[in-house]
């Protein structure tokens, strides 16, 4: 009986220690995605844009983001299915992710979003699927996070507000109170004609 009690006691301590270590050493994804995504111009192209912030105390290394468009589709044979296609990003990885990341997908003739209006996206129940993965530089553990933007979360003809704020002549900071804020896109200035000069 004493031998069984000793064996069970040691086994209980070992299992409890292992469970506690596994529970408290897990790397939690503490990322903040913007509540909305915008369709705003960038280098002459409409661009799907959203923000990601790292709210952890430590940096993430080898951060990677993937985005996909999911929407209803029907084949030429008439079979309905849920279609998921990747959205190529302007920059899909970061060597070190410390503060904020502005993720962009250019909507050109090669984009799955090209030529799709808001009405068409709503009719096909479209949504943007986003997945992040990285490595915690302290624990060296993988970090995963995902987010979804529905059509109601897309802001057409709006842009994110600038987060950079001057705190002094040589001091710049990021104002995270503007993280989710958008504003209407100002129409570009019309060039003057020769008669108006």
């Amino acid at each position: 009986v004493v031998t069984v009690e000793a064996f069970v006691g040691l086994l209980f301590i070992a299992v409890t220690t292992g469970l506690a270590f596994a529970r408290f050493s897990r790397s939690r994804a503490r990322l903040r995605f913007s509540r909305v995504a915008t369709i705003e111009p960038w280098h002459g192209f409409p661009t799907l844009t959203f923000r990601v912030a790292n709210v952890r105390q430590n940096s993430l290394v080898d951060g990677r983001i993937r985005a996909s468009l999911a929407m209803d589709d029907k084949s030429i044979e008439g079979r309905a299915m849920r279609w998921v296609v990747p959205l190529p990003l302007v920059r899909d990885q970061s060597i070190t992710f410390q503060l904020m990341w502005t993720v962009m997908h250019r909507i050109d003739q090669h984009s799955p979003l090209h030529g799709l209006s808001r009405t068409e996206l709503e009719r096909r129940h479209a949504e943007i699927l986003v997945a992040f993965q990285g490595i915690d530089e302290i624990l060296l553990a993988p970090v995963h996070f995902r987010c979804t933007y529905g059509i109601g979360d897309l802001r057409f003809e709006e842009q994110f507000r600038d987060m950079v704020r001057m705190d002094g002549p040589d001091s710049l900071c990021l104002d995270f109170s503007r993280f989710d804020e958008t504003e209407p896109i100002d129409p570009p200035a019309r060039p003057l004609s020769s008669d108006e000069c």
Side-chain angles (χ1 to χ4, degrees), residues 99-111:
L99 293 176
M100 197 194 72
W101 188 346
T102 300
V103 184
M104 296 181 292
H105 163 72
R106 187 169 64 181
I107 305 176
D108 55 15
Q109 63 270 22
H110 304 293
S111 169

Side-chain angles (χ1 to χ4, degrees), residues 16-183:
T16 304
T17 304
L19 291 176
F21 179 79
R23 172 65 179 85
F24 293 105
S25 66
R26 284 180 56 188
S27 178
R28 294 185 178 181
R30 296 181 57 195
L31 301 180
R32 177 182 173 186
F33 279 76
S34 56
R35 291 196 297 265
V36 298
T38 63
I39 306 292
E40 58 184 79
W42 181 259
H43 286 304
F45 288 92
T47 304
L48 171 69
T49 306
F50 57 91
R51 288 171 168 172
V52 187
N54 180 15
V55 296
R56 304 167 61 88
Q57 296 293 331
N58 47 321
S59 299
L60 298 172
V61 297
D62 196 22
R64 298 173 184 270
I65 288 183
R66 292 178 297 164
S68 298
L69 171 65
M71 60 183 178
D72 297 339
D73 193 20
K74 184 175 289 187
S75 67
I76 59 176
E77 293 80 16
R79 297 181 58 186
M81 63 179 299
R82 189 68 171 166
W83 184 49
V84 180
V85 61
L87 296 175
L89 302 177
V90 174
R91 183 169 65 97
D92 61 359
Q93 63 182 23
S94 178
I95 296 177
T96 177
F97 181 26
Q98 295 179 329
L99 293 176
M100 197 194 72
W101 188 346
T102 300
V103 184
M104 296 181 292
H105 163 72
R106 187 169 64 181
I107 305 176
D108 55 15
Q109 63 270 22
H110 304 293
S111 169
L113 289 168
H114 182 69
L116 295 179
S117 64
R118 185 187 190 100
T119 303
E120 178 68 11
L121 292 173
E122 289 177 346
R123 185 185 68 82
R124 300 176 68 174
H125 304 98
E127 57 184 355
I128 307 298
L129 311 177
V130 183
F132 173 88
Q133 64 178 7
I135 300 175
D136 188 303
E137 70 173 358
I138 302 299
L139 300 176
L140 298 180
V143 174
H144 302 276
F145 199 86
R146 60 187 176 89
C147 178
T148 302
Y149 293 103
I151 298 304
D153 302 319
L154 294 183
R155 299 292 183 265
F156 291 78
E157 301 302 327
E158 293 186 18
Q159 61 187 6
F160 280 105
R161 292 189 62 190
D162 192 359
M163 293 177 56
V164 179
R165 187 184 68 205
M166 293 289 297
D167 278 356
D170 298 317
S171 176
L172 294 176
C173 75
L174 290 179
D175 184 0
F176 276 89
S177 66
R178 303 179 180 179
F179 185 76
D180 297 303
E181 294 182 2
T182 62
E183 58 188 5

